[in-house]
Amino acid sequence: MSKDEGDEDSLLQIERDTIKVVEVEGVTPVEGSGGNDFYQTQYELLKSRALAQRVSSQLNLAEGDLLDRISPRSPWAALTGMFSGGSDPAEADTEAAVDARENAATQAIMNGLKIEPVRNSRLVRVHFDSPDRVFSQRAVNALAEAYIASNLERRFDSSAYAKTYLEDRLEELKLKLEESERQLVAFAQKEQIVGTGDNNGNLSEQNLGSLNAALATVRQERIKAESRWRQAQASRGLVLLGDMGENSIIKSLQEQRGKLMADYQDKLRLYKPAYPLMQQLKGQIDEIEKQISIEVASIKTAIQAEFLAAQEQERLLDEQMSLLKTDVLDLQSRSIQYNIFKREVDTNRQLYDGLLQRYKEIGVAAGVTNNNISVVDRAQPGFKYKPNLVRNLALGLLAGLMLGVLLALGFEYLDDTLKA
């Protein structure tokens, strides 16, 4: 092992959850709160061949003589090459040789890599051991950067795949929605079904509802008019109804009649009924009563006319209701297939609108890529070297002492001469 051999490390922090700026259900990854499967997966990704191949490609390890210095051939391979004519098949300028060299570069990255999770933390140390300390530093930093980049790419690719899938589904649903709408319109034209564009039923059903409300109002007015007419028929003489009491002419005539009757009673103490003055007063009173009777009869006629009009209006509305009910029942029987088409249109529209909303959310999420991995400490040159001279000298001295003692004991055991 040369004096420049290095074992460099970088410290990474791997978070299970990220700050979700935009969270889209089905696209944003959701991790469980328990178990070590997440971190074990990350460790295996760090040691994966794909990541090693990416790092070797970024460092151009397969080009030049760097690979030979980082991963020299074994003595047996070198000896075999010498006896085979000194030519190395891997050095031949062929496609297979290039592939073999690239595979060797990838394998060299994998062989030098070591993952060391820090207990009870979300930190992991990434070591790289190679004969070249400068390359070790470059390799471990490049591996950390490539790991972060590949993690971001996977997240972005998942969003891009979901977006592409939704685009295809949106196109399918759009065509399906258009076809179902065409079927609905064609059937409505054929059956003469006019919709109102809301959830209150078709036009005939709405007309039936309006006519029913109008009929209820007219029936109430007819009942009131009939009641007033019955009261008017039951009235006798000057027993006035409310309408009569509100008539200003009748009130005026009643006041005049009251004054004349009072005058008549007052003068009756002096004159006999046959007296000309008394006959004149009696004629005036009879004339006023005649006028009152005419006004009362006029009011009764008006009440009767109002009652008959309300009765006729109720009859006409009843007839229209009967006709419209028949039309509505006929329309309902013809609207069974129409409702099927309409439900299909509504379902397709809901699916399309929901998928379009999801597509927009994914479009926003794709532009906000979260990263749950960060570099805490980057590898620094000269941070750690191999070999360690002091340690190796101490190990050599200890091994020499042990070997000396064993040799001395062995010689002593084998020596069987007699000594004086």
Side-chain angles (χ1 to χ4, degrees), residues 36-56:
N36 298 322
D37 55 339
F38 171 78
Y39 287 103
Q40 188 61 40
T41 301
Q42 302 306 310
Y43 303 152
E44 294 301 322
L45 288 175
L46 278 167
K47 295 186 291 185
S48 66
R49 184 175 186 84
L51 186 61
Q53 187 175 10
R54 180 170 181 162
V55 172
S56 67

